[in-house]
Amino acid sequence: MPVTGTLIGSASSVEQGEPIAFTYSTPPASVTPKNWVGLYADPGNGPVDQRYVGASTLWEYVPQASGAVSFGSGALGAGDYIAFYLSNDGYSWLADPVKFSVRPTPQTEPPVFRDAFGCEGRGPGQFAAPSGITVDARGQVWVADTGNDRVQAFSRDGRLVRVLAGRLKAPQAVAVDGGGNVYVADTGNNRVAQYAWWGGFVREFGAGKLDNPRGVAVDAAGRLVVSDTGHQRIARYDTRTGAELAAITEKVSSPQGITPDGAGGFWVAQNGRAASGSVAVVRYSAEGKVIGSIGYGQSSEFGGLSNPSDVAVNSTGDAYITVPDYCWVAQFRTAGPYRAEFGLDGKGTLSFPLGVAVDAQNRVFVADTGNNRIVHFGVS
């Protein structure tokens, strides 16, 4: 078959975890639903002679006459690769192949233990299975004290500031907007409860429509964003009117914790998607479209993301993801590459951590659920 199409790569070199994209085109006469782009090690088993030699490392169907296709490089080891644009589930070239390389991800020192506060109990400042956590504009740490049916707010050093209780049942997440309004994923009551900055109850969202909500955030436009876990969707509400807005279902699978991305959109931890098979944390635009992900194929020497619970993003492009199955926090670059994990030793050893939040100084707070405390990690 003569080569009549084109295949163009987005970069000649990417860091492990960063996406590699290709634009392709072929004449209409060559279009089939099973034209495909495959990535192979170079040199390796790619169809350099337009015949099968061995299996591709990654591949995707590209059924249009022209378009773009993107691959996450987290599943690729460091080295040289070659991409082929191939015809109809076969190995005839539709375009000249494109070579690129994958650079190893440099490891960085993870945040280190600074201090902790709280202990098991039902009294003020004590916890029973704390889960969701957030830090407001004043630096106060808000904790969904799930087993005690309340939310508690603390100063950064652990001094109790406020308690919200009496209307909540097993809350699992909390968010605070720029005006100090508090939104609680009131999981046991299948709703989101809103409180004023001083602690008074204001109203509820989603009563009778949400099922097992486990994450809550307020985006840059002031919309309430909720992980409607039982319905496998992201629900949204207008915080001014209370009106329900269009929900998001694209690439949603058991959504958990949510955090704003700082650019109008938000990240969602999804523990229905294991790192070995698909994306684990998904980034959405303000319009609700998927614009990125982290976790696919990423792992340390100990393992990858298994049922991630929550995600927090700092101002320098780091994402922190709680992995209760492994009792650690995984650190990624928001562009994709895996960095490190922490919470594995010393005074900062974690047990089934669920919630994570980052403050304006990039200090990391973790709901150490199994130990009924909040742990503060800082960057050296």
Side-chain angles (χ1 to χ4, degrees):
M1 174 181 287
V3 174
T4 56
T6 62
L7 183 68
I8 302 172
S10 61
S12 60
S13 177
V14 295
E15 186 177 307
Q16 267 179 316
E18 292 180 337
I20 177 72
F22 301 90
T23 57
Y24 62 90
S25 67
T26 193
S30 299
V31 173
T32 79
K34 291 191 175 181
N35 287 348
W36 60 293
V37 172
L39 308 187
Y40 294 81
D42 182 34
N45 55 4
V48 294
D49 58 357
Q50 303 197 49
R51 293 186 303 171
Y52 177 82
V53 177
S56 59
T57 303
L58 296 172
W59 66 276
E60 290 284 347
Y61 284 127
V62 286
Q64 290 79 32
S66 62
V69 61
S70 180
F71 299 88
S73 64
L76 303 178
D80 295 324
Y81 292 86
I82 185 167
F84 291 89
Y85 181 24
L86 303 169
S87 176
N88 198 30
D89 257 351
Y91 300 92
S92 298
W93 294 7
L94 293 173
D96 290 323
V98 175
K99 294 188 176 185
F100 67 98
S101 63
V102 175
R103 308 185 306 275
T105 300
Q107 296 300 293
T108 59
E109 290 298 321
V112 297
F113 173 81
R114 296 301 187 194
D115 55 36
F117 61 85
C119 62
E120 183 176 2
R122 297 193 176 278
Q126 298 177 330
F127 300 110
S131 51
I133 184 171
T134 193
V135 181
D136 68 17
R138 299 171 61 188
Q140 296 181 138
V141 181
W142 293 79
V143 182
D145 187 10
T146 307
N148 285 326
D149 296 330
R150 65 188 179 185
V151 169
Q152 299 191 85
F154 301 84
S155 63
R156 180 174 62 85
D157 58 2
R159 179 176 55 85
L160 181 63
V161 175
R162 180 164 288 112
V163 178
L164 306 179
R167 293 175 175 262
L168 303 173
K169 182 179 180 182
Q172 291 196 23
V174 58
V176 182
D177 68 17
N181 296 292
V182 183
Y183 302 87
V184 181
D186 189 11
T187 310
N189 288 320
N190 290 315
R191 65 172 187 168
V192 173
Q194 179 185 348
Y195 293 83
W197 64 269
W198 49 270
F201 180 82
V202 177
R203 61 178 164 179
E204 63 182 11
F205 298 84
K209 294 186 177 181
L210 297 175
D211 181 9
N212 198 22
R214 294 185 182 177
V216 64
V218 179
D219 70 14
R223 291 173 294 203
L224 180 65
V225 187
V226 184
S227 286
D228 188 9
T229 308
H231 289 137
Q232 301 291 324
R233 65 172 189 161
I234 306 300
R236 295 188 291 178
Y237 299 89
D238 187 320
T239 56
R240 295 163 297 182
T241 66
E244 184 174 2
L245 306 174
I248 299 166
T249 58
E250 182 181 357
K251 289 188 180 296
V252 176
S253 180
S254 191
Q256 307 290 313
I258 302 179
T259 192
D261 67 0
F266 50 93
W267 293 89
V268 182
Q270 306 199 40
N271 71 18
R273 296 182 179 273
S276 59
S278 190
V279 292
V281 180
V282 182
R283 185 181 184 184
Y284 295 89
S285 68
E287 295 73 33
K289 298 298 182 182
V290 174
I291 56 173
S293 65
I294 48 180
Y296 173 65
Q298 295 286 328
S299 67
S300 70
E301 61 182 306
F302 302 107
L305 291 183
S306 175
N307 297 315
S309 176
D310 199 8
V311 55
V313 177
N314 70 12
S315 61
T316 59
D318 290 302
Y320 302 98
I321 302 167
T322 48
V323 188
D325 285 2
Y326 298 150
C327 295
W328 70 44
V329 179
Q331 180 180 353
F332 291 78
R333 294 295 291 168
T334 53
Y338 176 87
R339 290 302 193 193
E341 69 282 314
F342 56 94
L344 293 166
D345 52 28
K347 294 181 179 179
T349 300
L350 302 172
S351 174
F352 206 76
L354 290 180
V356 62
V358 179
D359 71 7
Q361 286 72 46
N362 293 330
R363 293 174 290 222
V364 182
F365 295 86
V366 180
D368 187 10
T369 307
N371 289 320
N372 289 298
R373 65 176 185 165
I374 304 302
V375 183
H376 165 206
F377 296 89
V379 178
S380 300

